[in-house]
Structures are given as structure tokens and as C-alpha cells.
Amino acid sequence: MGAAVLWGMVAAASLVIGALFGVWRSWPEKLTGAVLAFGAGSLISAVSYDLVREGAMLDGGPGVAGGLAVGALAYFTADRMLERWGSRHRTGPSAGTGAGPALALGAFLDGIPEQAVLGIGLASGEGVSIALLAAIFVSNLPEAIGSSAQMRSNGRPASAILRLWIAIALVCAAATVGGYLVADVASSRLKAAIDGFAAGALLVMLIDSMIPEAARKSGLVAGLFTTLGFATAAFLSATG
């Protein structure tokens, strides 16, 4: 249990570190876009190598497919609700707009199952998956930096942004402990569905928010930074 708490906090800490960087100073728009593009590439790698592949190895496909559908619909529905809530409670010319809240929602919806998988691995005696831990870190940092910088530029107070990301990090860390506790009763299909859920939420978030925002802010170099992010995460996964 102690190991699950420790590694859960280590993995989730990247969200708070990224948020601190995001609110620390005003980031040039092109740099923010490049960070988002790098994060998008690393998340594509995480979907491919650390979630879908691992889930398919556990269950052969059905569990992952079901999880993908549920995760995609969960993010889509929650994002639409967030947009409607933001439009009704807008207090300034830009408050509630932009990709910042959507990226935070994506980090929340994919962070819980990702870290639950980390806890399941610990309980199963597999030890810490360095590849998964690295993928969580590499993807969380630019996701949190980009989201926090976007919300800061839209007029959100730095203290409110940090409270949001601390809350997300705490819930994600708790998911590692939850995964550890349910590992003995979780079937291979359920574990595969957890992987699929994270992958489905990530894919919708990437296409709806992260990639368009990265391309808009950084322009033609977005593709290069996306490739760099993918290559970095894929290397960490292959060598982990």
C-alpha cells in the first residue's frame, strides 16, 4: 500500500509541476503551441504503446473496444457540458473559453485510469512500470503547462488554476491506491477496459482540443514537435 501511495503521488506530481510552470509567467503563443504539440505526440504514443497494446494483450480486444467507446463518450459528454456551463457563467470577454478547461478535463479523465493501471501493476507484483510512469510524466507536463497558460491568459487567477490542478493530482494519486486495492478482484477484461477508457478519452481530447490548439498557436512547426513528442515517449516505452 505504501508503494502505491508513493508512486501515485510521484506520477501525479507532474500535473502540479506543469501547472506551476503554466502560471509562473506569460508564455509566448508559439512556445505554448509547441509545448502542446509535443504533449500531443507523447499522448499518441501513450495511447498506442501503453494503453491499447497492453489492453489488447490482456483481453484480446473486446475489453479495450468497450473501454474506448465508454471513454470517448464520457469525454465528449463532459466536454459539451463544460462548454455549456462556461457559456452561462462567463464573467469576462474570454473567461471560460479556449482549450484550457478541456485539457484539464482530459487530464482528469485519462489520469484516473492511467494511474489505476499503475496501482494494479504494483499489486500484481510487477513492480513499477517505468515505461508507464515515464509516459504519464512526459504527457502530463505539457498538458498541464498548456492548459494553465491558456486559462491564465483568459483571466483566471493563478491561485484558482493551481487549486484545480492540485485537486486533479490528488484524485489521480488516489486512483493508484484504488487500483492497488481492487487488483485481486479485477479481471483481465476489466483491466483492458480501464486501458481502453483512458485511450478513448485521450483520443477525443486530442482531436477536439489539444491538436487544433497546438496547430493554431505554433503554426507549421506543430507537426515537427508532435513527432518529437511521439518519438520521445515511444523510446521511453520501448526501453522501460
Side-chain angles (χ1 to χ4, degrees):
M1 175 68 75
V5 174
L6 173 64
W7 289 112
M9 292 177 64
V10 169
S14 56
L15 293 169
V16 180
I17 294 169
L20 285 169
F21 274 106
V23 301
W24 170 48
R25 48 162 292 179
S26 296
W27 293 83
E29 189 168 85
K30 283 190 175 295
L31 181 57
T32 302
V35 168
L36 287 171
F38 183 92
S42 65
L43 287 172
I44 292 170
S45 174
V47 168
S48 303
Y49 293 105
D50 298 307
L51 295 172
V52 173
R53 185 183 66 176
E54 293 297 325
M57 289 173 63
L58 285 168
D59 187 53
V64 178
L68 275 167
V70 174
L73 289 171
Y75 179 85
F76 178 85
T77 302
D79 190 41
R80 299 292 87 77
M81 292 173 64
L82 183 65
E83 282 185 359
R84 288 197 293 269
W85 184 89
S87 64
R88 288 199 300 268
H89 295 81
R90 190 170 299 147
T91 57
S94 299
T97 62
L103 293 175
L105 175 64
F108 178 75
L109 289 180
D110 78 78
I112 292 174
E114 274 184 345
Q115 295 207 201
V117 171
L118 189 64
I120 290 171
L122 286 167
S124 302
E126 300 171 3
V128 179
S129 171
I130 300 301
L132 180 59
L133 191 64
I136 292 173
F137 244 91
V138 168
S139 59
N140 279 352
L141 281 172
E143 200 173 5
I145 291 171
S147 172
S148 300
Q150 180 72 49
M151 288 190 280
R152 190 79 175 107
S153 67
N154 285 344
R156 296 281 182 90
S159 58
I161 296 170
L162 289 175
R163 285 197 300 271
L164 171 65
W165 283 101
I166 289 171
I168 292 173
L170 288 173
V171 173
C172 290
T176 305
V177 178
Y180 183 91
L181 292 174
V182 304
D184 288 340
V185 297
S187 65
S188 295
R189 179 155 296 184
L190 176 58
K191 295 174 185 176
I194 292 172
D195 284 328
F197 182 96
L202 278 174
L203 287 171
V204 178
M205 184 274 291
L206 282 166
I207 297 302
D208 280 3
S209 303
M210 198 168 187
I211 291 175
E213 193 73 6
R216 184 182 71 82
K217 287 180 178 294
S218 61
L220 295 177
V221 300
L224 297 177
F225 279 97
T226 300
T227 303
L228 178 61
F230 181 90
T232 300
F235 173 79
L236 290 172
S237 179
T239 58

